[in-house]
Amino acid sequence: MRIGFLGDIHGNIVALERCYGILKDEGCENIYHLGDLVGYGPFPNECVEFIRLVQMEGVRGNYDENAAYKSEDCGCDFGDDTEFDLYHRTYLWTRDRVSHAARSLLIDLPFDINFKAGKQTYSLFHANPFDIYTSIWESRGDDFMRDMARYTGADVNVFAHTHVPFHKNIDGIHFINVGSVGNPKDGNPRASCVILDADANVRVRILRVEYDIEKVAEAIRKSPLPSEIADRLLIGK
């Protein structure tokens, strides 16, 4: 069985359509998203509508929840006041732009999704199994990962939130951060998504996908969003 995963779409419909097309062309029988459909990018409603049209199952991200409920901020810790101000402005624009129809879908997204495919059990969540805010980086120690796997009870744990992809196999348990479709932050501006082949074993491929980044950057610059978001998108930061 072949499964596709993508996350942190963040209002980037151009990257979303491109990644979805790649995953379908690669023969993925099911495709799941790991949350944060909105935020940063200039096309929040278009991304939510795309997810609705293709009936893609997925989980709730912090931007999804806070924009849907019109919270004062996205609940993120950006490290310093300058970063907070930049991303807070993008959040407020997104929150105020999200349509009623999009808000309805975002509110209905579940915290996690758990299922069995082949011989493996899967747990999907946005940031970690406990909340939608606390990041899981590749540098997390093996003991932390083992504790998380004991909590989820899953053979394959799939998540996002950091915008930096990785795959770790610890004692036969898989931990997959799918990275970001719409706003990578690892210095590689190409969109990130994952293909997983599951039969007797689990094989994971992290794909980096070219798309028309300039088109999205130009749309950002023509919108009320901060132009710095376009600059960062172009360099994957």
Side-chain angles (χ1 to χ4, degrees):
M1 183 176 188
R2 179 164 287 181
I3 308 172
F5 298 102
L6 43 80
D8 286 303
I9 295 160
H10 283 297
N12 188 336
I13 187 64
V14 181
L16 172 58
E17 290 177 340
R18 176 69 173 145
C19 286
Y20 181 81
I22 292 288
L23 295 177
K24 293 296 285 187
D25 288 346
E26 287 281 343
C28 291
E29 299 171 50
N30 292 303
I31 299 174
Y32 296 90
H33 73 79
L34 280 302
D36 275 3
L37 305 182
V38 303
Y40 302 152
F43 307 111
N45 293 317
E46 292 87 342
C47 288
V48 175
E49 182 61 17
F50 183 88
I51 295 299
R52 189 196 308 276
L53 287 173
V54 301
Q55 299 181 320
M56 189 188 303
E57 290 187 74
V59 299
R60 181 174 73 251
N62 55 293
Y63 271 84
D64 303 326
E65 179 174 289
N66 287 291
Y69 286 102
K70 298 186 177 182
S71 302
E72 288 302 310
D73 60 54
C74 67
C76 305
D77 180 7
F78 291 108
D80 64 54
D81 291 342
T82 301
E83 291 293 289
F84 175 83
D85 178 69
L86 173 63
Y87 288 110
H88 186 57
R89 283 186 283 151
T90 73
Y91 166 73
L92 292 178
W93 181 86
T94 298
R95 182 195 68 181
D96 295 340
R97 188 173 179 83
V98 168
S99 68
H100 177 75
R103 187 170 287 113
S104 296
L105 184 146
L106 296 176
I107 287 173
D108 287 342
L109 290 173
F111 176 82
D112 58 11
I113 293 175
N114 299 281
F115 60 90
K116 185 172 183 180
K119 296 184 177 181
Q120 290 82 31
T121 53
Y122 292 76
S123 184
L124 317 183
F125 42 88
H126 176 64
N128 70 75
F130 316 108
D131 65 62
I132 55 175
Y133 300 103
T134 307
S135 301
I136 300 175
W137 298 94
E138 189 172 8
S139 57
R140 284 280 198 176
D142 288 1
D143 286 343
F144 173 89
M145 296 295 192
R146 291 187 182 100
D147 287 343
M148 183 174 74
R150 279 191 286 270
Y151 179 84
T152 65
D155 303 309
V156 183
N157 300 271
V158 189
F159 46 93
H161 191 55
T162 66
H163 299 214
V164 178
F166 70 83
H167 170 220
K168 295 180 96 170
N169 182 342
I170 302 171
D171 305 330
I173 305 296
H174 296 266
F175 304 89
I176 305 165
N177 189 317
V178 301
S180 176
V181 167
N183 193 252
K185 293 185 178 178
D186 60 350
N188 182 345
R190 294 177 296 170
S192 177
C193 55
V194 164
I195 292 176
L196 184 149
D197 287 297
D199 39 45
N201 299 304
V202 171
R203 296 181 302 281
V204 176
R205 283 188 286 156
I206 297 173
L207 307 183
R208 301 310 291 259
V209 178
E210 301 277 359
Y211 72 97
D212 192 348
I213 302 177
E214 288 286 354
K215 180 178 180 179
V216 182
E218 184 63 19
I220 292 171
R221 294 192 179 101
K222 289 180 177 179
S223 78
L225 289 165
S227 62
E228 295 96 323
I229 298 299
D231 298 337
R232 294 184 181 201
L233 184 69
L234 291 169
I235 59 173
K237 291 292 187 182

